[in-house]
Amino acid sequence: MRISQKFCFVVATVIPRILFAQTPTPVNLYVADLTYRDGSVQVSNPRKLTGDRGVNSQPSFSVDGKSILFVSRRDTTGQSDVYRIDLATGAETQVTRTPENENSPTPTADGGVMVIRWTPPTLFKEWGPWIYDRNGAPVHGVLPGPDTVGYYVRIDSTKFAMMRPKSRPAVALFDAATGAMTDYDWPVANLPPQLVPSRHAITYTRTDRLGHNEIRQLDLGSLQTSSLAPTIVGRVVHAWTPNGFILMGKGNEVFALKPGSRGMWKKVATLHQQGLQGLTTYVVNSSGDRVILISPLEPPLHQAIRDSLQAGRNASDVVAALRKAGANETSKFDVSESGIAGLGSERVQRGAFADAIVLMRYAADLFPKSYLVQMELGGAFRKSGDAKNAIAAYRRSLALNARTTADERAAAAAADKAIAELDLR
């Protein structure tokens, strides 16, 4: 079991942003073989590529399929750079070394790289998609001006499909010839749109707050959107094979579906390799015989809790079962302070205050020295109308807060302000 404090998330109830110290659990990339038989696809022989070196994500195949580009965070600063791995030798090369962060790398025809370039203070506002040369140096932007773009796929020499993580996360088309950016569907998962084999179309995942997500298609000729298939419950990442299968992962299993065949999702692989317990199927090469899988070294506990909630269980029952099972159960997972508290924050935003408080209290028990969790708990009580318990949580947060950093002092000031406001009621 890893117990970690990581990520950041929006807290609308008390202060604009709470930051958790980052001690990231390794997230690895694997390459696996794809074969086809009896009208189905098989996944086998997964091989780890990244060796527990940092948080690795967003892989794409090179034009010749012999290597992959991906993004990696290798320290606690959150700095992300582009790396390349040769699939035959396993040799790894760092491609970019800029002070900015690079995400979502894809190869260009001349050997360069297209990335999303950004810095934390101007996330999605200043840079956006950029072209870098083969030496990893930025050359020029793709858009005529700043825009909120998170992921993309190139459709042709002038057109791109892009994900815009704004107040309504949307899938959009951008035409470099005209400079026009048009949204077509929302809310969507902030992931690369997928080119549909043998069709002039893209797919993406439209999200549902209960996890009943949907793979949808945007026809690039008619510009009409339509439903293609439900996702595996609670999952958003899908990848196409060239012969028309869609792959999705959940836990240590891979599922396949061939749209139009009137079939259902079919489990095609159960991967028992240690470290492949929370996998996603991210991208398939152009020849269709290899898939890149992504999986954390240990599956996140908050994802397991979310899966239970999306399956219809209430938070009280889920947390009670975890408490009863004790360390024997939680030792299987990466226990993240911000992950569990983030689930509570989601429930606050949906008005499910009882669930939120149960989850926040569980996070507080797991991280008894965290002033941040107590801030979140105070916000949940406050939103629920329970001023007495909200004040108590804010005061516990103040007692735990060392006030040695600017973030800590800002959180303390926010707690003091919240207490003063609640005392006036």
Side-chain angles (χ1 to χ4, degrees):
M1 173 179 67
R2 288 177 61 96
I3 296 182
S4 59
Q5 298 171 297
K6 58 183 179 179
F7 310 154
C8 64
F9 54 91
V10 176
V11 182
T13 56
V14 182
I15 53 177
R17 196 176 187 182
I18 282 183
L19 298 176
F20 287 83
Q22 293 181 321
T23 54
T25 298
V27 177
N28 288 303
L29 305 181
Y30 295 75
V31 62
D33 296 333
L34 295 179
T35 53
Y36 305 87
R37 188 174 64 189
D38 300 328
S40 186
V41 57
Q42 297 176 323
V43 185
S44 60
N45 304 320
R47 175 169 57 91
K48 186 187 291 187
L49 298 172
T50 46
D52 302 342
R53 296 185 298 274
V55 176
N56 306 285
S57 63
Q58 304 160 30
S60 64
F61 281 95
S62 61
V63 175
D64 62 11
K66 294 181 179 180
S67 63
I68 60 167
L69 295 169
F70 63 99
V71 165
S72 188
R73 291 190 288 116
R74 298 290 171 90
D75 56 37
T76 59
T77 67
Q79 173 70 31
S80 58
D81 287 296
V82 178
Y83 291 74
R84 177 183 290 109
I85 284 182
D86 182 282
L87 294 176
T89 66
E92 181 182 275
T93 306
Q94 186 170 349
V95 177
T96 66
R97 300 176 184 273
T98 70
E100 295 82 20
N101 292 299
E102 287 85 29
N103 277 15
S104 194
T106 57
T108 59
D110 62 357
V113 184
M114 182 174 169
V115 300
I116 299 295
R117 185 185 186 202
W118 61 284
T119 59
T122 59
L123 178 62
F124 304 130
K125 295 178 181 177
E126 183 177 354
W127 299 108
W130 270 65
I131 300 296
Y132 282 42
D133 65 22
R134 62 179 61 244
N135 296 314
V139 179
H140 62 81
V142 173
L143 302 178
D147 205 333
T148 51
V149 172
Y151 292 90
Y152 60 88
V153 66
R154 184 187 290 271
I155 296 169
D156 56 33
S157 60
T158 62
K159 293 185 178 63
F160 300 82
M162 294 184 169
M163 291 300 183
R164 309 177 79 196
K166 305 185 296 182
S167 58
R168 59 169 200 190
V171 61
L173 296 181
F174 171 68
D175 189 333
T178 65
M181 178 88 79
T182 306
D183 293 348
Y184 285 92
D185 202 357
W186 56 85
V188 298
N190 189 29
L191 294 162
Q194 302 290 307
L195 294 172
V196 182
S198 305
R199 296 186 216 166
H200 191 47
I202 60 167
T203 55
Y204 52 92
T205 302
R206 186 165 183 173
T207 55
D208 173 271
R209 67 179 187 174
L210 299 178
H212 301 292
N213 306 316
E214 179 184 40
I215 298 173
R216 291 180 63 81
Q217 177 175 273
L218 171 60
D219 186 285
L220 298 173
S222 68
L223 301 180
Q224 298 298 306
T225 63
S226 59
S227 176
L228 203 60
T231 69
I232 301 297
V233 174
R235 297 301 185 264
V236 294
V237 182
H238 70 277
W240 284 90
T241 69
N243 55 353
F245 286 98
I246 302 178
L247 303 179
M248 295 195 79
K250 184 171 185 176
N252 67 337
E253 298 173 334
V254 180
F255 298 82
L257 172 72
K258 197 159 193 177
S261 64
R262 297 185 180 181
M264 305 292 289
W265 286 104
K266 178 183 177 183
K267 184 169 67 175
V268 296
T270 301
L271 303 176
H272 299 287
Q273 187 168 332
Q274 186 176 3
L276 266 174
Q277 306 303 304
L279 67 88
T280 58
T281 54
Y282 200 84
V283 64
V284 176
N285 64 353
S286 59
S287 58
D289 60 358
R290 282 180 163 179
V291 59
I292 301 298
L293 310 174
I294 305 177
S295 185
L297 185 62
E298 293 178 330
L301 179 60
H302 65 271
Q303 182 63 68
I305 295 173
R306 180 182 279 112
D307 286 346
S308 294
L309 296 175
Q310 290 172 342
R313 299 180 66 189
N314 63 56
S316 294
D317 290 343
V318 173
V319 170
L322 287 169
R323 291 185 188 280
K324 183 177 181 180
N328 287 336
E329 182 64 19
T330 55
S331 64
K332 304 173 185 176
F333 298 95
D334 170 33
V335 183
S336 161
E337 173 184 356
S338 66
I340 299 171
L343 281 178
S345 182
E346 290 174 10
R347 292 307 187 272
V348 168
Q349 293 171 24
R350 295 173 189 170
F353 302 122
D355 276 3
I357 290 165
V358 167
L359 292 166
M360 297 296 190
R361 280 177 160 164
Y362 185 49
D365 288 345
L366 291 171
F367 297 91
K369 297 181 179 180
S370 172
Y371 74 91
L372 293 171
V373 169
Q374 292 296 334
M375 286 288 288
E376 285 284 290
L377 181 57
F381 277 123
R382 186 180 187 181
K383 280 286 189 178
S384 73
D386 187 343
K388 179 180 178 180
N389 278 313
I391 290 171
Y394 288 135
R395 285 177 174 161
R396 284 194 294 272
S397 177
L398 289 170
L400 292 167
N401 189 337
R403 299 174 179 82
T404 56
T405 68
D407 286 338
E408 290 170 347
R409 290 190 290 272
D416 282 328
K417 180 180 178 182
I419 291 169
E421 291 172 348
L422 288 165
D423 276 337
L424 293 175
R425 293 184 180 180

